[in-house]
Amino acid sequence: MTAIETGAGSSHADRMDRMYRTQRHFYDLTRKYYLFGRDTLINELNVPAGGSVLEVGCGTGRNLALIGQRFPHARLFGFDISAEMLVSAEAKLGKPGRTRTVLRVADATDFQASEFGETGFDRIVISYALSMIPDWEKAIGAAIAALNPGGSLHIADFGQQERLPGLFRRGLQAWLHRFHVTPRKTMETVLRCNAGKFGDTLEFRPIGRGYAWLFTYRRAAQ
């Protein structure tokens, strides 16, 4: 079962709803061909028994469904700024046998764990969402603030394709721009600055010759 709560709208939310009103029906089928690293991220979550997992920008619920299968004792939460996407997430995650998931409409740049009835989360996942969030640095800050001590933030997103041919890189980024996707070239710097500020640690791994970047940000235990 899932429980969905709604939040306030915004111009970014309206744009996402317009884009995904139709796309949500075939989103998972098409994205599997170029959103690389998501399953690696999920397999490496190492969620403790009874631990809480939040996905920021959960979209159709594809990742949360897999997390529930991989870690059946985890408590699952997710939100997206697009109410349209959560219609698909509700349908997917509400199927019999699925781990109960709490879903709500929310803004990645302005959320708190208390909105979900939690004091913090053990794991937070952001998969290919930061490249679509205008104020993505603020979204990272909100996610870090919502982590429990000893918890971790796991990010997969487009890299800078730094080791791929220039023609391919330019073509890919032009194509992504059509869908309001902008790979964040300073993401590693921003995450390392936060880690230094709070005494946390960061692991960074490019995959596919820089096609995608994977990050694991670990909060210090207190």
Side-chain angles (χ1 to χ4, degrees):
M1 293 291 293
T2 60
I4 295 182
E5 299 178 17
T6 59
S10 69
S11 58
H12 181 54
D14 292 340
R15 185 174 68 183
M16 293 298 100
D17 277 342
R18 288 194 301 271
M19 182 165 67
Y20 290 127
R21 188 164 288 121
T22 301
Q23 285 194 36
R24 68 180 178 85
H25 297 289
F26 51 85
Y27 182 93
D28 289 340
L29 178 63
T30 58
R31 266 56 177 184
K32 70 179 181 179
Y33 295 109
Y34 61 90
L35 298 188
F36 304 136
R38 295 181 297 172
D39 293 348
T40 298
L41 179 155
I42 290 169
N43 288 332
E44 295 178 352
L45 286 176
N46 192 27
V47 183
S52 55
V53 181
L54 170 73
E55 182 172 16
V56 174
C58 64
T60 64
R62 181 263 188 196
N63 293 334
L64 285 170
L66 291 178
I67 292 169
Q69 292 174 14
R70 179 70 176 79
F71 305 100
H73 300 297
R75 296 181 296 113
L76 303 182
F77 304 82
F79 72 81
D80 203 284
I81 201 167
S82 170
E84 290 290 339
M85 288 296 255
L86 289 184
V87 173
S88 292
E90 162 73 10
K92 182 184 277 86
L93 297 169
K95 293 178 180 179
R98 295 285 193 189
T99 302
R100 182 183 183 276
T101 306
V102 176
L103 300 173
R104 70 177 280 125
V105 177
D107 187 333
T109 67
D110 184 26
F111 78 94
Q112 296 181 345
S114 59
E115 298 172 28
F116 298 86
E118 300 288 310
T119 57
F121 297 99
D122 298 307
R123 303 287 185 270
I124 296 180
V125 171
I126 311 180
S127 173
Y128 286 91
L130 292 172
S131 53
M132 299 190 70
I133 298 172
D135 198 353
W136 61 275
E137 294 185 33
K138 190 174 180 181
I140 286 176
I144 292 172
L147 282 172
N148 281 326
S152 53
L153 167 63
H154 301 258
I155 298 172
D157 215 318
F158 291 105
Q160 292 296 297
Q161 298 83 49
E162 55 269 22
R163 296 177 57 200
L164 291 171
L167 182 62
F168 176 87
R169 181 172 63 250
R170 290 190 294 273
L172 174 63
Q173 295 192 1
W175 182 73
L176 292 174
H177 183 71
R178 295 178 56 193
F179 297 94
H180 310 287
V181 176
T182 304
R184 310 303 185 185
K185 63 182 179 181
T186 60
M187 192 182 300
E188 182 185 2
T189 300
V190 169
L191 286 164
R192 289 201 184 282
C193 285
N194 276 281
K197 178 181 178 181
F198 297 112
D200 301 331
T201 61
L202 179 70
E203 300 168 15
F204 167 54
R205 182 181 4 154
I207 61 173
R209 301 179 69 183
Y211 178 93
W213 288 349
L214 299 180
F215 297 93
T216 302
Y217 181 106
R218 302 187 189 278
R219 293 255 27 197
Q222 295 180 2

